[in-house]
Amino acid sequence: MRRRPGIAGLQGAAAARDQFRLLGENVAKIRTDLMKEQLATFRSQLEDFALKHKNDIRKNPAFRSQFHEMCAKVGVDPLASNKGFWAELLGIGDFYYELGVQIVEICLGTRPHNGGLINLQELCTLLRHKRKTSREAVSEDDCLRAISKLKVLGSGFEVISVGKKKLVRSVPTELNKDHNEIIELAQGQGYVTVDEVERRLSWTSGRAIDTLETLLDEGFAMIDDGHRDGKRRYWFPCVSSISSTVVTDA
Amino acid sequence: MQKLGDFKLPPFFNYPPYFTLQPVRETREKQIQLWKELILDYCRTQKIFVIGLEEEFPLFSNTVIERSLTHEARQAFLSALVSEGRAEWLDKVRRKCLILWHRIQDWADIIVNFVKDNGLEDSVMTVEELRSGTESRGTELQGLDRTILLRALKLLEHKGKLAIFKGTSADDEGVKFSI
């Protein structure tokens, strides 16, 4: 005959549940404590690391880029706030804000020449030129980081990839796929002709001329009628290397 | 860096589209600005006072990139200088242009300073002496274009700082200073 559930059995089960709960809470607490401790250790280790390599982080662009990568992997953004311990520790926030301001200056200064579209490489060269006196070296990675911080201003600073090159756009003009294709084509020689666009991209002449005219109107291109073959060339200061020297002296 | 004699050419001089007058306003303004500066700089360092539009002029063509300025472009750049008072057309058809890297007023000031520096406040000099005499050697007045010199002198005469009087031939116009 089966025993029916009695009061003692119920009490026993309740007690066991309590015991389990207690144990569970204890285990959870121990685990949180452990986690907290680990986090604290991690943070102090990261701080130690940052302190120890402070100079490397400041001066060596390659090292800085790796440090950023490491931080990103563990979910720490050293640039998130200028008031955090990173800023106090490294002054790294100020570094990027300074770069940001200088990048804006360069983009504005070269706008009459390139229409607000500048090659990332060229931007870096100009930036280094401008910062000649500062001791810290600047890499393209630094430029990209500084530009990404400029986005909060909502002024339409953006890095676009055209072919193999990265271009920095500082005007609100959106470039569509057709524009991009032409700029990519121009990377070869620094210029394109209508014929070339029709042939290489298999476009109709109307489409080629329209797109080129838009780029011209936006100030991204300049015409050149001086070649002896008599064909009009459309030059793109944002992709031809000579422009980098033009603007520094202008 | 490409050079013309001892003159350093700016990088834009090697960028072909700068030799074609740009159709878009903002781009053209920038282009004209660069050319104006180049023309003034070059004339100042090379002591060139007159540019003939139809004549050979080192800045008007670049053999390295095989480009040269059209007549229209030359006229546009020089007209821009004229509108700023840094140049003047010497004829109605705009073939010759006087380049004033110092404005007439500034040339007049240079003459006044020259006169003061040499203690010539109430002396008499010929116009030719002013631009080729021993006193002017090594100063900016040496080799100054006669047209510009006369314009500056007339301006000073107008202000009562000197009197110009005719000699027997065109070459020996005299100047009596009263500064």
Side-chain angles (χ1 to χ4, degrees), chain A residues 38-57:
Chain A
Q38 273 176 349
L39 262 176
T41 323
F42 173 73
R43 192 187 147 108
S44 76
Q45 290 287 328
L46 200 59
E47 276 180 55
D48 280 351
F49 177 85
L51 260 182
K52 204 162 143 195
H53 299 282
K54 190 172 163 177
N55 280 336
D56 287 324
I57 292 172

Side-chain angles (χ1 to χ4, degrees), chain A residues 2 12 46 63 87 105 110-111 148 187 205 234:
Chain A
R2 266 188 71 176
L46 200 59
F63 195 91
E105 280 173 3
T110 57
R111 201 177 279 175
S148 75
Q187 283 175 11
S205 72
Y234 291 80

Side-chain angles (χ1 to χ4, degrees), chain A residues 113 223-225 228 240 242, chain B residues 15 18 20 22 24 66-67:
Chain A
H113 175 70
I223 55 161
D224 164 29
D225 292 334
R228 54 188 134 86
S240 36
I242 191 153
Chain B
Y15 199 54
Y18 277 97
T20 300
Q22 293 302 309
V24 178
E66 298 184 326
R67 293 291 186 279

Side-chain angles (χ1 to χ4, degrees), chain B residues 106-165:
Chain B
D106 298 334
W107 280 115
D109 291 344
I110 290 170
I111 294 171
V112 169
N113 287 334
F114 167 80
V115 169
K116 284 184 180 158
D117 288 349
N118 289 283
L120 300 165
E121 276 92 338
D122 21 54
S123 335
V124 175
M125 276 181 98
T126 67
V127 172
E128 204 47 43
E129 264 181 309
L130 262 171
R131 54 189 289 262
S132 55
T134 36
E135 285 92 348
S136 63
R137 200 163 294 160
T139 70
E140 285 199 276
L141 293 179
Q142 184 182 13
L144 174 59
D145 180 79
R146 210 180 149 80
T147 321
I148 297 176
L149 180 56
L150 281 173
R151 293 276 308 278
L153 289 173
K154 290 224 171 82
L155 182 75
L156 288 171
E157 185 179 40
H158 195 71
K159 289 185 176 172
K161 302 216 168 167
L162 53 82
I164 303 172
F165 54 89

Side-chain angles (χ1 to χ4, degrees), chain A residues 151-192:
Chain A
K151 276 197 188 125
V152 294
L153 297 175
S155 61
F157 266 85
E158 197 189 26
V159 180
I160 52 176
S161 294
V162 177
K164 283 180 211 138
K165 287 191 182 172
K166 286 200 169 75
L167 302 179
V168 179
R169 183 171 62 87
S170 61
V171 283
T173 322
E174 291 281 346
L175 292 175
N176 65 26
K177 200 165 152 290
D178 280 6
H179 300 145
N180 279 346
E181 279 185 66
I182 285 191
I183 295 176
E184 187 175 346
L185 189 59
Q187 283 175 11
Q189 298 166 287
Y191 68 87
V192 294

Side-chain angles (χ1 to χ4, degrees), chain B residues 10-115:
Chain B
F12 85 82
F13 196 70
N14 279 322
Y15 199 54
Y18 277 97
F19 281 80
T20 300
L21 208 52
Q22 293 302 309
V24 178
R25 192 173 55 86
E26 276 172 41
T27 321
R28 187 173 58 235
E29 277 167 10
K30 171 78 179 172
Q31 178 191 24
I32 290 178
Q33 184 61 34
L34 288 171
W35 274 101
K36 278 194 305 198
E37 287 164 14
L38 174 61
I39 293 171
L40 282 185
D41 262 5
Y42 184 75
C43 289
R44 183 184 301 121
T45 52
Q46 309 298 308
K47 289 216 159 210
I48 292 168
F49 297 98
V50 177
I51 296 179
L53 262 71
E54 317 273 283
E55 291 154 33
E56 284 277 310
F57 183 61
L59 292 184
F60 286 165
S61 49
N62 184 348
T63 48
V64 178
I65 56 167
E66 298 184 326
R67 293 291 186 279
S68 55
L69 290 175
T70 59
H71 185 81
E72 192 196 2
R74 295 173 193 196
Q75 215 165 53
F77 301 150
L78 290 173
S79 295
L81 283 173
V82 170
S83 68
E84 276 182 16
R86 307 313 296 259
E88 270 171 37
W89 293 112
L90 288 170
D91 53 356
K92 283 214 173 105
V93 286
R94 302 188 165 186
R95 292 254 163 78
K96 270 184 181 297
C97 195
L98 190 67
I99 306 296
L100 300 166
W101 20 275
H102 289 313
R103 290 161 213 268
I104 295 292
Q105 175 61 54
D106 298 334
W107 280 115
D109 291 344
I110 290 170
I111 294 171
V112 169
N113 287 334
F114 167 80
V115 169

Side-chain angles (χ1 to χ4, degrees), chain A residues 17-184:
Chain A
R17 258 204 314 274
D18 272 356
Q19 288 283 323
F20 278 129
R21 192 173 45 81
L22 219 64
L23 197 69
E25 270 173 12
N26 265 333
V27 171
K29 192 173 175 298
I30 289 165
R31 282 176 74 177
T32 345
D33 284 351
L34 205 69
M35 289 280 272
K36 270 186 188 155
E37 202 182 299
Q38 273 176 349
L39 262 176
T41 323
F42 173 73
R43 192 187 147 108
S44 76
Q45 290 287 328
L46 200 59
E47 276 180 55
D48 280 351
F49 177 85
L51 260 182
K52 204 162 143 195
H53 299 282
K54 190 172 163 177
N55 280 336
D56 287 324
I57 292 172
R58 271 191 177 167
K59 283 184 193 146
N60 184 343
F63 195 91
R64 185 159 58 232
S65 145
Q66 276 168 3
F67 177 71
H68 275 298
E69 220 169 278
M70 187 180 81
C71 286
K73 271 185 191 145
V74 298
V76 176
D77 183 3
L79 296 181
S81 159
N82 198 23
K83 291 210 177 75
F85 83 103
W86 294 106
E88 286 158 33
L89 213 58
L90 300 172
I92 210 168
D94 285 339
F95 171 72
Y96 285 102
Y97 296 129
E98 196 181 297
L99 276 192
V101 171
Q102 286 166 335
I103 287 173
V104 172
E105 280 173 3
I106 291 171
C107 287
L108 286 181
T110 57
R111 201 177 279 175
H113 175 70
N114 56 30
L117 202 57
I118 190 168
N119 191 342
L120 181 64
Q121 263 178 326
E122 186 185 327
L123 179 66
C124 284
T125 315
L126 291 177
L127 198 59
R128 283 184 204 121
H129 196 77
K130 206 181 178 80
R131 297 174 57 86
K132 239 183 323 200
T133 45
S134 311
R135 285 168 303 131
E136 299 112 337
V138 180
S139 69
E140 286 190 11
D141 181 78
D142 291 327
C143 280
L144 288 176
R145 265 173 225 288
I147 293 166
S148 75
K149 294 295 148 191
L150 289 176
K151 276 197 188 125
V152 294
L153 297 175
S155 61
F157 266 85
E158 197 189 26
V159 180
I160 52 176
S161 294
V162 177
K164 283 180 211 138
K165 287 191 182 172
K166 286 200 169 75
L167 302 179
V168 179
R169 183 171 62 87
S170 61
V171 283
T173 322
E174 291 281 346
L175 292 175
N176 65 26
K177 200 165 152 290
D178 280 6
H179 300 145
N180 279 346
E181 279 185 66
I182 285 191
I183 295 176
E184 187 175 346

